[in-house]
């Protein structure tokens, strides 16, 4: 038991547990652990209570309509998400409270009060409407981390159009696929965004994504870097500042059905084609509102900072919708953590006196490597709670975070969830839960999870298996955009009427949940999801490549790194230049996050007799391990020679 935090030796014992600090527990929003039992006995009543904390134009007449795998929550209810995130706060003391504190990478900043946000969102809704956006449309948003991004999302929500935010690190090709799949008529982008002192050429990518046949009719462009003034296309492109200059400052929020689509967000799956995950209005907002309030113990005077990019679901749920629905102050930062120096995050924490910080293990491991010197430069005594998300956090990183960022006073909430789940599903409740470093601890009240074996039996304490969710929850995905069949196949076909997460997990003797990582062909690189198939198709798209197989190998900083085994065509010579070319090819095709870390040339790839590539064996080779079972291989010599060639490289 670690009572206090003073000595690092105490923290380095193997059976570390961290009960809630007494001071924290006393003031926690959630001091009552009885909530778990009450939610178990009446999950629908529990969720209905939380939905009731939102403002509804019309109340629902049925909490849940469950026609597996299709769920409808708060059926018949009417609400608007932008109204809930803005208008309702204007009637309270929050009117002049900071809603968004934004800082750009070069050091510029802006503060938007709830009243400011209201005006900007209304203007943007009017502006979008004048470009032809109406209820039921999809709008693609390809922006850097600037205030116009949440403003555009809320404006879409106000109109009743669904947004599809595409992360600014994606390439023109990736953007094109997503535009075509969503059939957006309007795209919102910027000339560029700042990253590590350089400019990301967003407008150029946006232009390249709409060549040839495209549904895009209008492009709305935010002027951020001043680098694309010559790129504006007459008749198609409109500057954001020109369009907003004369828009009315009010806009009546559309009364949306609880089950109307709020947004879609593409994520990588086990095939090459990204999936458009569909989230709807009432259930999504209920889930993000409640989890933000309880998991982050949100109080009126908190300054809350989630360091994710809004291009990922973490930013949607925990920079924009969850915090704003709660009337919180949400900090937003445009750039990288090492610009101009490696203390940038801690400078931001000090400058705005952040009280809550939510970031990813890959960032924490990077800070660990950089050393304590950087956080030690700043006064971070304002912090009272820390969060982690995106991948398993190793206990060493957890303890380092607790000690060096949290000063040994701040509970660390390790939150497990997915793009598909919409909001946090497995997490400590700070003030209630005794923490174990590396464990996401327990399902949120109302969430029923289990760990199953191949046959669908619970594996019981200590055993590893597949993580599943056994009953529907309000913020669950409703389908894959335009592809109900793939939705069924992907998540609901392994077990009947049970949601399959794609993660492995175990539950220990004390009932704590430990996430073991993906069990499918998805790699988790620096808390981003990359599909092995997507990288493989980008590689074979290069004319010198005959065949490719990708795997994730463990990496100290990024969690996993991408390793590709490539068979080149007969007339092509293997060389270091070719390796560089292929890595760049993937970065250009999909985006820099998908650039392989290692490329190995292979005369042949290890396959089963039926022709299936055995990635498990490639993983053994890449991680320098003894080879697992090779009896199903068509030709065992193939993998032996790969091992001889690459096995000892690490
Ligand atoms: C996958 C979902 C959810 C927001 C960011 C990623 C992994 C996520 C944790 C955690 C262990 C985690 C899982 C999951 N993951 N959080 N706390 N501990 N693993 O969203 O891109 O949809 O990825 O991230 O493997 O399935 P995503």
């Amino acid at each position: 038991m670690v009572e206090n935090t003073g000595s690092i030796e105490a923290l380095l014992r193997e059976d570390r547990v961290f009960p809630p600090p007494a001071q924290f527990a006393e003031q926690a929003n959630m001091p009552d652990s009885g909530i778990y039992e009450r939610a178990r006995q009446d999950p629908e009543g529990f969720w209905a209570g939380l939905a009731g904390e939102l403002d509804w134009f019309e109340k629902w007449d049925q909490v849940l309509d469950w026609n597996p795998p299709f769920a409808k929550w708060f059926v018949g209810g009417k609400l608007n998400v932008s109204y809930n995130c803005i208008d309702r706060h204007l009637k309270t003391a929050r009117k002049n409270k900071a809603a968004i504190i934004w800082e750009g990478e070069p050091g510029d900043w802006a503060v938007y009060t709830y009243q400011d946000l209201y005006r900007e969102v209304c203007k943007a809704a009017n502006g979008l409407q004048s470009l032809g956006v109406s209820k039921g449309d999809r709008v693609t948003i390809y922006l850097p981390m600037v205030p116009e991004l949440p403003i555009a999302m809320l404006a879409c929500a106000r109109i009743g159009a669904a947004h599809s935010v595409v992360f600014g690190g994606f390439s023109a090709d990736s953007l094109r696929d997503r535009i075509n799949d969503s059939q957006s008529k309007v795209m919102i982008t910027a000339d560029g965004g700042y990253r590590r002192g350089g400019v990301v050429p967003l407008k150029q990518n946006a232009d390249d994504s709409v060549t040839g046949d495209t549904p895009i009719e209008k492009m709305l462009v935010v002027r951020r870097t001043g680098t694309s003034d010559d790129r504006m296309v007459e008749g198609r492109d409109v500057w954001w500042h020109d369009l907003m200059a004369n828009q009315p400052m009010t806009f009546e929020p559309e009364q949306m059905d609880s089950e109307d689509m709020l947004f879609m967000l593409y994520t990588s799956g086990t095939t090459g084609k990204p999936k458009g995950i569909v989230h709807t209005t009432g259930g999504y907002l209920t889930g993000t509102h409640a989890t933000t309030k309880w998991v982050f113990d949100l109080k009126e005077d908190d300054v809350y900072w989630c360091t994710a990019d809004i291009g990922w679901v973490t930013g949607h749920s925990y920079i924009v919708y969850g915090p704003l629905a709660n009337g919180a102050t949400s900090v937003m930062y445009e750039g990288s953590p090492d610009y101009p120096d490696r203390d940038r995050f801690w400078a931001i924490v000090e400058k705005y006196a952040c009280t809550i910080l939510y970031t990813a293990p890959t960032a924490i491991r990077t800070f660990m490597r950089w050393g304590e010197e950087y956080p030690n430069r700043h006064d971070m005594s304002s912090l009272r709670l820390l969060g982690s998300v995106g991948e398993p956090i190793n206990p060493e990183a957890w303890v380092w975070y607790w000690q060096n960022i949290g000063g040994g006073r701040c509970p660390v909430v390790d939150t497990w969830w997915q793009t598909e789940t919409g909001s946090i599903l497995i997490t400590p409740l700070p003030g209630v839960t005794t923490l174990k470093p590396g464990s996401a601890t327990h399902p949120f009240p109302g969430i029923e999870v289990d760990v199953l074996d191949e046959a669908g039996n619970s594996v019981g304490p200590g055993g590893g298996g597949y993580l599943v969710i056994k009953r529907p929850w309000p913020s669950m995905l409703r389908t894959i955009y335009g592809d109900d069949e793939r939705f069924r196949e992907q998540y609901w076909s392994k077990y009947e009427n049970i949601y399959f997460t794609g993660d492995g997990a175990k539950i220990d003797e004390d009932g704590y949940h430990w996430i073991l990582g993906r069990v499918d062909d998805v790699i988790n690189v620096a808390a981003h999801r990359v599909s092995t198939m997507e990288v493989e198709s980008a590689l074979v798209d290069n004319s010198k490549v005959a065949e490719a197989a990708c795997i994730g190998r463990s990496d100290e900083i990024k969690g996993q790194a991408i390793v590709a085994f490539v068979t080149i065509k007969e007339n092509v010579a293997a060389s270091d230049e070719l390796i560089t070319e292929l890595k760049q090819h993937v970065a250009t095709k999909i985006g820099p996050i998908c650039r392989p870390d290692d490329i190995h040339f292979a005369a042949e790839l290890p396959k089963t007799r039926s022709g299936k590539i055995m990635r498990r064996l490639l993983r053994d080779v890449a991680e320098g391990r003894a080879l697992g079972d090779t009896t199903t291989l068509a030709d065992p010599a193939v993998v032996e020679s790969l091992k001889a060639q690459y096995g000892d490289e690490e």
Side-chain angles (χ1 to χ4, degrees):
M1 245 344 145
V2 177
E3 282 293 291
N4 114 7
T5 53
S7 86
I8 190 82
E9 292 73 52
L11 301 181
L12 291 175
R13 292 210 317 259
E14 260 325 294
D15 51 354
R16 298 162 288 198
V17 292
F18 295 70
Q23 258 176 309
F24 194 98
E26 262 165 40
Q27 58 81 64
N29 282 349
M30 269 313 301
D32 169 20
S33 57
I35 191 71
Y36 286 104
E37 191 45 39
R38 294 198 296 278
R40 198 176 353 260
Q41 279 171 13
D42 178 16
E44 289 184 27
F46 168 76
W47 290 119
L50 291 172
E53 296 182 11
L54 304 175
D55 276 22
W56 296 78
F57 299 125
E58 256 174 62
K59 224 190 140 190
W60 58 87
D61 23 58
Q62 190 187 352
V63 175
L64 170 65
D65 170 0
W66 179 222
N67 171 26
F70 300 102
K72 291 183 182 157
W73 282 90
F74 313 116
V75 183
K78 301 244 185 279
L79 76 169
N80 182 286
V81 166
S82 124
Y83 181 91
N84 272 280
C85 288
I86 308 174
D87 305 40
R88 65 173 177 152
H89 306 310
L90 302 183
K91 301 174 208 153
T92 72
R94 290 178 182 150
K95 182 170 177 168
N96 295 308
K97 176 178 175 177
I100 293 174
I101 297 180
W102 172 82
E103 183 159 305
E105 194 184 71
D108 45 342
W109 74 88
V111 177
Y112 292 78
T113 65
Y114 276 93
Q115 174 70 13
D116 294 332
L117 195 60
Y118 172 80
R119 293 196 193 102
E120 295 305 318
V121 168
C122 287
K123 283 196 288 179
N126 282 304
L128 286 172
Q129 196 176 50
S130 75
L131 296 183
V133 175
S134 55
K135 182 176 176 178
D137 287 349
R138 278 85 46 218
V139 175
T140 293
I141 305 181
Y142 183 62
L143 280 174
M145 283 285 283
V146 292
E148 287 82 356
L149 173 49
I151 289 168
M153 293 161 77
L154 290 161
C156 288
R158 204 165 183 88
I159 296 174
H163 54 72
S164 163
V165 179
V166 179
F167 172 56
F170 277 118
S171 68
D173 279 353
S174 298
L175 179 58
R176 179 198 303 273
D177 291 344
R178 287 156 175 75
I179 289 170
N180 289 344
D181 189 74
S182 65
Q183 288 292 303
S184 303
K185 286 181 294 185
V186 171
M187 162 152 60
I188 308 175
T189 188
D191 49 356
Y194 291 107
R195 185 81 197 170
R196 277 225 165 105
V199 170
V200 185
L202 293 170
K203 180 63 163 68
Q204 187 182 325
N205 293 342
D207 287 345
D208 292 348
S209 75
V210 296
T211 52
D213 247 359
T214 180
I216 294 290
E217 293 163 12
K218 292 279 175 201
M219 222 190 265
L220 181 56
V221 188
V222 173
R223 193 167 188 278
R224 169 73 183 131
T225 53
T227 46
S228 294
D229 290 5
D230 53 350
R231 285 195 157 270
M232 298 299 280
V233 173
E234 182 88 44
R236 184 196 68 187
D237 297 355
V238 186
W239 285 113
W240 176 284
H241 56 266
D242 287 341
L243 184 69
M244 301 311 161
N246 293 310
Q247 298 298 336
M249 294 201 214
T250 57
F251 186 101
E252 200 54 39
E254 190 68 33
Q255 304 211 353
M256 302 300 286
D257 191 274
S258 178
E259 280 301 328
D260 280 337
M261 176 158 66
L262 175 64
F263 68 86
M264 55 202 292
L265 181 60
Y266 288 88
T267 188
S268 294
T270 48
T271 72
K273 192 175 177 288
K275 307 176 279 193
I277 302 299
V278 171
H279 283 291
T280 58
T281 303
Y284 174 80
L285 200 63
T286 298
T288 50
H289 174 263
T291 49
T292 306
K293 184 165 155 185
W294 288 3
V295 174
F296 298 110
D297 189 49
L298 206 62
K299 299 283 175 2
E300 199 55 55
D301 52 3
D302 272 313
V303 178
Y304 162 96
W305 182 23
C306 166
T307 70
D309 192 292
I310 293 176
W312 308 108
V313 75
T314 306
H316 281 59
S317 298
Y318 296 108
I319 297 178
V320 183
Y321 292 119
L324 297 180
N326 276 282
T329 296
S330 183
V331 174
M332 185 179 162
Y333 169 57
E334 175 186 32
S336 104
D338 57 354
Y339 187 86
D341 201 353
R342 292 172 165 178
D343 66 341
R344 184 63 183 271
F345 274 22
W346 321 125
I348 291 175
V349 167
E350 181 174 20
K351 181 172 175 186
Y352 303 108
C354 298
T355 56
I356 301 169
L357 178 72
Y358 190 30
T359 194
T362 183
I364 298 166
R365 289 190 294 265
T366 305
F367 300 140
M368 237 172 121
R369 194 181 53 179
W370 290 346
E372 283 89 74
E373 166 196 352
Y374 300 100
N376 288 349
R377 286 184 193 168
H378 297 277
D379 176 4
M380 302 202 290
S381 57
S382 56
L383 287 173
R384 65 181 197 90
L385 180 69
L386 302 175
S388 171
V389 60
E391 49 177 324
I393 180 165
N394 45 312
E396 289 61 39
W398 194 104
V399 172
W400 187 90
Y401 192 35
W402 158 278
Q403 192 65 31
N404 293 288
I405 305 305
R409 5 164 251 290
C410 310
V412 174
V413 290
D414 174 5
T415 61
W416 177 90
W417 59 296
Q418 312 177 298
T419 305
E420 292 86 343
T421 69
S423 60
I424 295 169
L425 293 198
I426 305 181
T427 178
L429 293 180
V432 172
T433 311
T434 290
L435 308 170
K436 292 192 187 188
S439 167
T441 74
H442 307 296
F444 192 80
I447 302 295
E448 194 190 334
V449 314
D450 203 354
V451 175
L452 303 183
D453 65 15
E454 205 61 54
N457 308 305
S458 294
V459 296
Y466 299 114
L467 181 69
V468 299
I469 307 170
K470 291 174 93 171
R471 68 166 76 243
W473 65 101
S475 66
M476 66 196 282
L477 79 165
R478 296 302 191 260
T479 188
I480 292 172
Y481 188 72
D483 203 344
D484 285 350
E485 214 22 69
R486 191 174 175 200
F487 168 65
R488 204 187 276 278
E489 163 64 30
Q490 186 82 47
Y491 306 104
W492 305 93
S493 64
K494 192 165 176 73
Y495 306 109
E496 205 182 330
N497 299 348
I498 291 180
Y499 174 83
F500 174 60
T501 63
D503 278 344
K506 70 168 196 209
I507 303 178
D508 73 14
E509 283 72 16
D510 302 329
Y512 279 66
H513 294 64
W514 300 78
I515 311 297
L516 304 173
R518 303 289 309 192
V519 295
D520 51 12
D521 293 325
V522 170
I523 313 179
N524 193 326
V525 186
H528 297 139
R529 237 156 102 167
V530 173
S531 130
T532 52
M533 284 281 296
E534 241 179 309
V535 178
E536 288 163 7
S537 16
L539 282 165
V540 298
D541 172 80
N542 184 292
S543 59
K544 296 174 185 157
V545 173
E547 199 173 25
C550 283
I551 52 121
R553 72 156 159 75
S554 55
D555 178 274
E556 216 177 298
I557 300 291
K558 296 195 279 190
Q560 287 192 293
I562 305 174
V563 180
F565 289 84
V566 169
T567 308
I568 46 182
K569 293 194 179 151
E570 266 180 15
N571 52 351
V572 177
S575 67
D576 286 349
E577 291 71 43
L578 182 55
I579 290 181
T580 311
E581 178 188 329
L582 295 180
K583 286 183 181 177
Q584 188 49 42
H585 186 79
V586 176
T588 314
K589 268 318 266 189
I590 320 176
I593 48 160
C594 298
R595 182 196 304 271
D597 295 87
D598 310 328
I599 291 189
H600 298 322
F601 294 116
E604 267 180 87
L605 297 172
K607 289 183 189 158
T608 61
R609 279 169 215 111
S610 60
K612 195 165 183 275
I613 296 173
M614 292 192 71
R615 292 198 178 74
R616 171 172 63 76
L617 294 175
L618 292 174
R619 235 170 272 137
D620 291 340
V621 170
E623 294 182 342
R625 261 195 311 270
L627 294 176
D629 184 8
T630 56
T631 51
T632 52
L633 278 177
D635 179 2
V638 168
V639 68
E640 287 299 343
S641 87
L642 271 180
K643 187 159 171 59
Q645 202 179 344
Y646 293 110
D648 311 320
E649 257 187 7
E650 305 303 310

